[in-house]
């Protein structure tokens, strides 16, 4: 069964979380999927110190716990510091390691020790084969539940390119390899103190990843991406998610 991870980039409000959650439940019911709900309680890696980061650990995890309880969705969120792993694990089913932090040993070990699934995003400066070592750190910490996620590589300044061969390379080290279809079309730091992006390429990015063997797909979605507080230019409109997922189920 294919894995789908969807949600807003950052927790903006309960209204936004519920709008997305309601649509994910609807899609699960009509498509027979089990979409995992994703949102970040803190975006600690924003381009500018003035950028919106989110509600923080305590409030953010309570909001995600409320979504989980009300809608029955599995939850994925990311951590940036080792001490966050244990409290996040009280709510989240999957703990995500951000791409730039995927070599941080203490962060990987702390996530592994929760016993939760650990989704490691491949750094923009690493190859697919390089990801065997983060996987090894998690497994040797006593946790075999590891996923890997492709999200593109640095291509000059303010741009990313995807080498889809990385998907096949990473499948040598884990059974679940996810394509982050929205961050892969990002233009890092290219929009005047924040990141730009090209959401029009997201559907094709997903189909290309499927052809190369990806068995999971990550989409950041928002009811109104043009006014999203983080990653708006590369996020899908929530209304378009059904069409994109259907294309991957055929």
């Amino acid at each position: 069964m294919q894995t789908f991870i969807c949600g807003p980039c950052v927790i903006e409000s309960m209204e936004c979380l519920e709008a997305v959650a309601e649509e994910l439940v609807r899609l699960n019911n009509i498509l027979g999927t089990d979409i995992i709900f994703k949102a970040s309680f803190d975006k600690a890696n924003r381009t500018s110190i003035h950028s919106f980061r989110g509600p923080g650990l305590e409030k953010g995890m309570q909001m995600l716990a409320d979504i989980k309880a009300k809608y029955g969705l599995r939850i994925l969120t990311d951590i940036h510091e080792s001490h966050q792993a244990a409290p996040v694990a009280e709510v989240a089913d999957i703990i995500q390691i951000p791409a730039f932090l995927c070599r941080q040993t203490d962060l990987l070990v702390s996530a592994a020790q929760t016993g939760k699934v650990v989704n490691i995003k491949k750094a923009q400066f690493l190859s697919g084969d390089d990801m065997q070592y983060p996987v090894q750190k998690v497994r040797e910490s006593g946790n075999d539940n590891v996923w890997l996620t492709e999200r593109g590589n640095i291509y000059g300044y303010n741009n990313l390119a995807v080498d889809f061969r990385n998907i096949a390379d990473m499948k040598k080290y884990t059974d679940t390899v996810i394509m982050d279809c929205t961050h892969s079309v990002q233009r890092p730091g290219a929009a005047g103190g924040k990141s730009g992006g090209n959401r029009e390429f997201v559907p094709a990015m997903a189909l290309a990843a499927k052809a190369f063997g990806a068995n999971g797909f990550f989409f950041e979605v928002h009811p109104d991406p043009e006014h999203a507080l983080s990653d708006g230019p590369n996020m899908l409109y929530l209304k378009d998610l059904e069409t994109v997922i259907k294309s991957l189920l055929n």
Side-chain angles (χ1 to χ4, degrees), residues 58-222:
E58 184 175 351
K59 182 178 179 181
M61 293 314 299
Q62 182 58 60
M63 293 169 78
L64 291 177
D66 291 344
I67 290 293
K68 185 174 186 175
K70 182 174 181 178
Y71 296 97
L73 294 164
R74 290 190 289 163
I75 300 292
L76 178 150
T77 196
D78 38 11
I79 62 173
H80 292 84
E81 300 181 65
S82 300
H83 71 83
Q84 296 173 338
V88 165
E90 293 179 8
V91 176
D93 301 277
I94 301 97
I95 296 177
Q96 182 165 279
I97 306 298
F100 280 128
L101 300 179
C102 73
R103 291 175 51 151
Q104 297 296 107
T105 301
D106 290 346
L107 191 64
L108 290 163
V109 171
S110 65
Q113 289 176 342
T114 67
K116 299 292 185 174
V117 175
V118 180
N119 181 36
I120 312 171
K121 298 187 77 172
K122 181 183 72 61
Q124 298 90 326
F125 49 84
L126 294 180
S127 71
D129 272 324
D130 289 329
M131 294 306 293
Q132 65 183 290
Y133 303 107
V135 170
Q136 182 183 50
K137 290 177 182 180
V138 172
R139 288 187 172 145
E140 292 192 8
S141 299
N143 189 340
D144 288 328
N145 299 314
V146 191
W147 299 352
L148 290 174
T149 294
E150 166 64 29
R151 54 97 71 244
N153 281 82
I154 296 167
Y155 186 68
Y157 298 116
N158 306 122
N159 202 4
L160 298 170
V162 177
D163 181 350
F164 289 96
R165 296 173 297 180
N166 284 326
I167 294 170
D169 287 340
M170 290 193 291
K171 289 192 83 173
K172 294 183 288 189
Y173 310 113
T174 179
D175 291 334
T176 302
V177 173
I178 294 162
M179 183 69 203
D180 184 340
C181 304
T182 45
H183 284 102
S184 294
V185 300
Q186 195 178 58
R187 302 277 183 165
K194 58 185 179 180
S195 292
N198 298 97
R199 75 171 64 89
E200 65 269 24
F201 298 129
V202 169
M205 194 70 72
L207 290 170
K210 181 181 178 181
F212 275 85
N215 52 9
F217 303 90
F218 183 114
F219 301 102
E220 286 193 329
V221 295
H222 194 282

Side-chain angles (χ1 to χ4, degrees), residues 39-58:
S40 298
F41 58 84
D42 179 19
K43 298 298 292 185
N45 56 347
R46 296 301 304 274
T47 302
S48 170
I49 196 169
H50 302 293
S51 296
F52 179 76
R53 288 182 53 167
L57 177 63
E58 184 175 351

